[in-house]
Amino acid sequence: MTGALPPRAGRPDDGTPHHDRHTFATPLRAVDRIEVLSDGPDLRFLLYKTVNPEDPYMVGHFPGLTLLPAVFVLEALRQATTTLVGADEPLNLVEVRSGRWLAPMQGGDEIRLDVTARATDDGRWLVTADGTRHDGTPVAAVKVVLGDRDAAGELPTPAGGPLLPASGPSGPDYTEILDRLPVRHPMLLVDRVAAFDPGRRITTVKAVSGSEPCYQGMADGLPLSRYMYPRALILESFGQSSVLLWLSTDTAEGVPVAAAFRDCRFTGEVRPGAVLRHVVRIDRLMSDNVFVSGQTWDGDRCVMTVGALIGSSRPRAKVDRTMAGAS
């Protein structure tokens, strides 16, 4: 099976040369190879990806400790399914119904995803995946819905609309964001804190630039739809905003990582020139975990709602296996 997905973004490795140009915006080549197990009625395949510190965005996540962001597992499912179903337009995340991240995926790890994709009556794809590290450790369990540009309708406008609070405590400036978040360029996806109620709520801003790595190497003459900002990066930016808020509670110690996503929905196209605004609130704090929810806006359009994002703070020795090997 072949599809619209370019080699850089994850075409099955069939020995053909990889080209420099690709045909839609992607953070990285999130798939190394695919093994098709069954092509009907349910599409079953194995997807492989080795965590590569040299991949785009990976140099900044985290400095001195290469970890595959949870959202790049979602991007891998998007890329592989687009390839195998032969979609004319790239599929996109419509929903993240559930996602659990069970163990760190560190530089050099080969991740295998056992994937089932089922076509639904409304033209979408329900995709479930279980991820395993090369040492046999389970790393992820995910259920998402993928669809084309017309797959998702408008999200309901949350109560209160998109307006920013008129005033409130000043939040961290850009240098303080750098001090607090364990990510760096180009993975740092928070530009400014617009409103801040420590321990309760934060509003952050992320400007989408056409010079970002996800647009590098795109072929000339593509339609505007191919410049849609990857939804995995929108979710990552929301997650970084959540960490900023969580750190204000003084309950997060160690390495903050995503533990779970639930009931995340996307709609609309975000393109270069957009200024995203994340509104994040803490719903619950429990031991070394935080539960947050919120929305993301592009102007007066709600482009993402997050039912629940669960963050977990883990000792670095539990995340960085090289420390255990050196002790």
Side-chain angles (χ1 to χ4, degrees):
M1 297 182 186
T2 60
L5 198 64
R8 178 183 180 276
R11 180 174 294 173
D13 190 357
D14 58 2
T16 58
H18 295 317
H19 304 292
D20 293 331
R21 297 293 175 183
H22 56 288
T23 58
F24 61 87
T26 61
L28 77 168
R29 180 181 172 180
V31 181
D32 291 335
R33 70 182 194 278
I34 300 171
E35 298 176 7
V36 177
L37 305 179
S38 171
D39 60 1
D42 293 343
L43 176 61
R44 282 207 60 222
F45 59 93
L46 301 178
L47 178 166
Y48 296 86
K49 171 64 181 175
T50 297
V51 182
N52 183 359
E54 303 301 319
D55 275 344
Y57 288 94
M58 291 300 298
V59 68
H61 193 273
F62 298 140
L65 173 60
T66 299
L67 294 177
L68 185 72
V71 298
F72 285 177
V73 172
L74 307 179
E75 179 66 17
L77 295 175
R78 171 207 183 201
Q79 292 180 9
T81 306
T82 296
T83 297
L84 294 178
V85 304
D88 293 331
E89 286 282 332
L91 298 176
N92 293 293
L93 286 171
V94 177
E95 297 179 48
V96 180
R97 293 189 175 176
S98 63
R100 293 185 297 123
W101 316 104
L102 308 172
M105 296 167 280
Q106 200 164 345
D109 289 341
E110 184 181 60
I111 308 303
R112 185 189 74 184
L113 295 177
D114 189 335
V115 186
T116 299
R118 176 178 299 172
T120 63
D121 292 339
D122 55 3
R124 305 180 186 184
W125 289 87
L126 176 61
V127 180
T128 60
D130 292 305
T132 308
R133 220 163 52 196
H134 63 276
D135 61 3
T137 302
V139 294
V142 181
K143 181 180 289 186
V144 302
V145 177
L146 302 174
D148 60 20
R149 297 174 61 195
D150 300 322
E154 293 299 315
L155 296 175
T157 302
L163 298 179
L164 291 172
S167 62
S170 60
D173 62 23
Y174 188 73
T175 59
E176 291 171 318
I177 292 172
L178 286 171
D179 287 341
R180 299 182 190 191
L181 289 181
V183 288
R184 289 294 180 269
H185 177 79
M187 197 60 182
L188 178 59
L189 302 180
V190 178
D191 295 328
R192 180 169 59 89
V193 175
F196 191 44
D197 185 358
R200 299 183 61 186
R201 182 183 176 105
I202 194 171
T203 301
T204 64
V205 173
K206 160 61 182 169
V208 177
S209 167
S211 62
E212 298 197 32
C214 64
Y215 299 117
Q216 183 177 357
M218 291 186 65
D220 293 334
L222 295 172
L224 183 60
S225 62
R226 303 301 179 87
Y227 288 86
M228 181 173 168
Y229 191 63
R231 287 171 170 172
L233 293 180
I234 298 176
L235 188 54
E236 172 66 22
S237 181
F238 182 97
Q240 292 180 17
S241 304
S242 304
V243 172
L244 277 175
L245 179 59
W246 185 18
L247 291 174
S248 71
T249 67
D250 294 324
T251 63
E253 298 180 359
V255 179
V257 296
F261 301 136
R262 188 169 61 246
D263 299 330
C264 303
R265 297 180 61 199
F266 305 83
T267 193
E269 297 186 12
V270 173
R271 307 188 193 97
V275 178
L276 298 176
R277 189 168 63 257
H278 304 294
V279 180
V280 185
R281 56 188 169 270
I282 289 179
D283 296 320
R284 182 163 49 130
L285 288 169
M286 186 177 67
S287 185
D288 296 325
N289 298 294
V290 65
F291 296 72
V292 305
S293 59
Q295 307 87 35
T296 297
W297 301 83
D298 176 10
D300 60 358
R301 293 187 306 130
C302 184
V303 295
M304 181 180 74
T305 61
V306 175
L309 187 159
I310 304 172
S312 179
S313 182
R314 299 177 181 174
R316 187 180 178 101
K318 295 289 187 180
V319 176
D320 186 354
R321 300 196 305 280
T322 64
M323 293 181 66
S327 60

